[in-house]
Amino acid sequence: MFSGLPGDPVMLLSVINTKLRDHYPTLEALCDDLQIDSRELTDRLGAIDYAYDAARNQFV
């Protein structure tokens, strides 16, 4: 579980994509700032069939 982020994967997707759009130029910047593991995040969102697209800077 990520501190301060939703446990529900669909809600997590929404929050992460909003943060990427509004505040972070890359997934790495977001993970560094929030101190979360990018592999764990991508695995959790991958479980609901979403993958990070660097060109779009969002999970699609």
Side-chain angles (χ1 to χ4, degrees):
M1 187 82 61
F2 302 118
S3 178
L5 293 173
D8 177 80
V10 175
M11 292 301 297
L12 179 62
L13 171 68
S14 177
V15 168
I16 293 297
N17 273 344
T18 298
K19 287 182 177 293
L20 286 168
R21 181 191 68 221
D22 294 346
H23 303 289
Y24 298 97
T26 65
L27 178 61
E28 293 76 23
L30 177 141
C31 290
D32 286 345
D33 190 48
L34 299 180
Q35 298 179 337
I36 58 177
D37 182 80
S38 63
R39 170 69 116 213
E40 184 179 350
L41 178 61
T42 56
D43 287 349
R44 286 185 59 193
L45 295 179
I48 59 168
D49 296 323
Y50 281 81
Y52 181 67
D53 181 336
R56 295 171 66 176
N57 192 34
Q58 68 180 1
F59 283 87
V60 292

